[in-house]
Amino acid sequence: MNAKKIIGALSGFVAGCLMLSACTAPAPEGQSSGGKKDMTVGVIMIGSSHDAGYNEAVADAANNLKKVNGVRVITAEQIPETNAVTDTMQQMADQGAKVIFATSYGYFKYALEFAKKHPDIVVLHQGGYQDGAFPSNFGTYWGAAYEPVSLGGMAAGKATKTNKLGFVYAFPISQSIANIDAFQLGAASVNPQVKTYLVNTSNWCDPVKQKEAVNALSSQGVDVFSQHQDCQTTVIQTAKDKGAKVVGYHYDAAKLAGDSWLTGSAWNWTPVMKDIVKTVSEGKFKGSQYNANWIGTFANGDNPLELASFGPSVDKATQDEILAKKKDLSKKGSGIFTGPIYCQDGTELVKNGVVASYQDINNFSCLVKGVVGTLPAAK
């Protein structure tokens, strides 16, 4: 490569790093120090990698991927769910990315279209669901989040003194509906009098709306809070100020919550993301389990959403009951959504004796009995 080409390549790289964080200069001609070509992997996040929530869990996995020999990682954070995603994927492709993880729910259509136009790049969408045929270079991956969320509901049901739980969520998507329903079902399994009160923020991370939501619910007597937001710092801190308890989601925030912490759910994306990269590097992605809708579950022992640590106020009897339920959910044929289950209006959601499949749960559109609130129209 002549001097002019080297200067041009470095200029392009520096320009890309203005948007793409955690960039590292590539070895000459894309080779590693040992002469073997590295696998370049791109990871795109909608929020901050320090949000004590969804994006920090992704960032932790990206940092662990960097430790894998022969893998080079490019990350980009605070990329909105717009054409900016496509632009970012293209910049990553220009830097040699052969695997791109698009990790926000609203990235789905952009990730799918990019995969169709770039058959030489494997694109994974985190949390989406593809109906019908898959491009040979595209896949989705997620976990049965409602499993550990239901366990957090059990902790909340045991801890409440008012029988009023609060749940702050962003959008009425299938994942949020399933989590709200599972939280209430878990809570009601240990406390039949409990109800879950909802507030919708219409934003993955809006601290102002989160604070308003917690204050409003607290004024109604809610004394335990949970949420489906990307960032959870504000919900936790505001709940602490109210003397309430919290059940976390996305990330183990026990240190942040202190004595208010009951338990929660925490993503551990490292195993599945490492295995996906390995599968691609071995040329085995097409037709693999990842070239599809991959869902980790307790029963398969691969749910990337794990039960978080217990807080100091959760007694051993409650911990044992939650862990026993987790063990039960790990058995084949078991599930939190086992009928009969009814919607708020009395409509049967799951028939008696039936265990809802992931596909069924992914299509839930009603809130279960015991949830107080309504769902806004999906956007």
Side-chain angles (χ1 to χ4, degrees), residues 277-295:
V277 171
K278 180 175 181 288
T279 300
V280 175
S281 68
E282 293 174 349
K284 298 177 180 179
F285 182 82
K286 182 179 179 180
S288 72
Q289 62 179 335
Y290 301 120
N291 186 202
N293 294 309
W294 183 88
I295 305 295

Side-chain angles (χ1 to χ4, degrees), residues 185 336-343 347-355 368-369:
L185 290 173
I336 184 66
F337 291 104
T338 300
I341 299 174
Y342 298 92
C343 299
T347 304
E348 189 174 56
L349 180 62
V350 184
K351 293 182 181 297
N352 185 32
V354 173
V355 179
V368 298
K369 278 190 172 182

Side-chain angles (χ1 to χ4, degrees), residues 229-309:
Q229 302 269 274
D230 278 0
C231 56
Q232 60 180 341
T233 301
T234 300
V235 171
I236 290 173
Q237 290 181 336
T238 309
K240 281 177 65 178
D241 291 343
K242 297 291 183 181
K245 300 295 184 182
V246 294
V247 173
Y249 186 55
H250 293 318
Y251 206 78
D252 192 325
K255 291 182 179 179
L256 175 65
D259 290 344
S260 290
W261 184 257
L262 294 176
T263 186
S265 309
W267 292 109
N268 176 13
W269 292 116
T270 299
V272 64
M273 290 175 75
K274 278 186 175 180
D275 200 44
I276 288 171
V277 171
K278 180 175 181 288
T279 300
V280 175
S281 68
E282 293 174 349
K284 298 177 180 179
F285 182 82
K286 182 179 179 180
S288 72
Q289 62 179 335
Y290 301 120
N291 186 202
N293 294 309
W294 183 88
I295 305 295
T297 65
F298 280 168
N300 291 333
D302 56 6
N303 194 335
L305 191 63
E306 301 172 347
L307 180 65
S309 60

Side-chain angles (χ1 to χ4, degrees), residues 19-363:
M19 173 178 285
L20 306 179
S21 63
C23 293
T24 55
E29 302 297 336
Q31 301 295 313
S32 67
S33 58
K36 182 180 178 181
K37 192 170 184 179
D38 288 341
M39 169 71 74
T40 299
V41 176
V43 180
I44 308 174
M45 294 164 277
I46 189 174
S48 167
S49 59
H50 301 286
D51 64 359
Y54 183 81
N55 295 286
E56 188 159 350
V58 171
D60 285 350
N63 288 331
N64 288 331
L65 278 177
K66 293 176 184 178
K67 301 172 185 177
V68 177
N69 186 42
V71 175
R72 172 176 172 260
V73 179
I74 309 168
T75 62
E77 57 188 86
Q78 298 183 330
I79 305 301
E81 294 170 328
T82 66
N83 287 328
V85 183
T86 304
D87 295 340
T88 303
M89 288 189 287
Q90 186 59 59
Q91 289 189 39
M92 289 178 168
D94 292 343
Q95 293 188 48
K98 291 301 179 184
V99 182
I100 296 177
F101 292 94
T103 68
S104 189
Y105 185 84
Y107 291 170
F108 180 83
K109 65 179 181 180
Y110 305 101
L112 179 58
E113 287 305 309
F114 190 86
K116 290 177 179 178
K117 294 177 181 178
H118 297 79
D120 59 328
I121 299 174
V122 173
V123 181
L124 284 306
H125 181 263
Q126 185 169 293
Y129 193 87
Q130 165 71 2
D131 288 317
F134 277 71
S136 62
N137 63 323
F138 181 74
T140 73
Y141 64 102
W142 193 243
Y146 45 82
E147 293 179 335
V149 168
S150 71
L151 302 180
M154 292 175 66
K158 285 282 191 178
T160 181
K161 293 182 172 64
T162 63
N163 291 330
K164 293 183 177 182
L165 313 178
F167 199 106
V168 182
Y169 73 102
F171 299 103
I173 60 175
S174 58
Q175 294 168 12
S176 296
I177 294 169
N179 283 347
I180 292 166
D181 287 348
F183 185 76
Q184 169 61 25
L185 290 173
S189 72
V190 298
N191 181 355
Q193 305 304 314
V194 77
K195 293 184 183 297
T196 298
Y197 293 73
L198 302 183
V199 172
N200 163 256
T201 64
S202 297
N203 196 298
W204 287 121
C205 183
D206 186 327
V208 173
K209 287 185 177 180
Q210 289 175 352
K211 185 172 184 177
E212 291 173 348
V214 174
N215 285 334
L217 290 170
S218 180
S219 69
Q220 298 176 54
V222 168
D223 63 351
V224 181
F225 290 87
S226 192
Q227 47 81 30
H228 188 154
Q229 302 269 274
D230 278 0
C231 56
Q232 60 180 341
T233 301
T234 300
V235 171
I236 290 173
Q237 290 181 336
T238 309
K240 281 177 65 178
D241 291 343
K242 297 291 183 181
K245 300 295 184 182
V246 294
V247 173
Y249 186 55
H250 293 318
Y251 206 78
D252 192 325
K255 291 182 179 179
L256 175 65
D259 290 344
S260 290
W261 184 257
L262 294 176
T263 186
S265 309
W267 292 109
N268 176 13
W269 292 116
T270 299
V272 64
M273 290 175 75
K274 278 186 175 180
D275 200 44
I276 288 171
V277 171
K278 180 175 181 288
T279 300
V280 175
S281 68
E282 293 174 349
K284 298 177 180 179
F285 182 82
K286 182 179 179 180
S288 72
Q289 62 179 335
Y290 301 120
N291 186 202
N293 294 309
W294 183 88
I295 305 295
T297 65
F298 280 168
N300 291 333
D302 56 6
N303 194 335
L305 191 63
E306 301 172 347
L307 180 65
S309 60
F310 289 111
S313 67
V314 184
D315 59 39
K316 186 177 186 304
T318 299
Q319 291 185 30
D320 289 346
E321 188 171 359
I322 291 171
L323 293 174
K325 182 62 177 179
K326 181 178 184 294
K327 185 177 180 180
D328 180 63
L329 290 174
S330 300
K331 298 175 183 177
K332 296 290 185 181
S334 181
I336 184 66
F337 291 104
T338 300
I341 299 174
Y342 298 92
C343 299
Q344 288 170 318
D345 63 2
T347 304
E348 189 174 56
L349 180 62
V350 184
K351 293 182 181 297
N352 185 32
V354 173
V355 179
S357 67
Y358 181 83
Q359 289 75 17
D360 294 333
I361 297 164
N362 196 56
N363 289 314

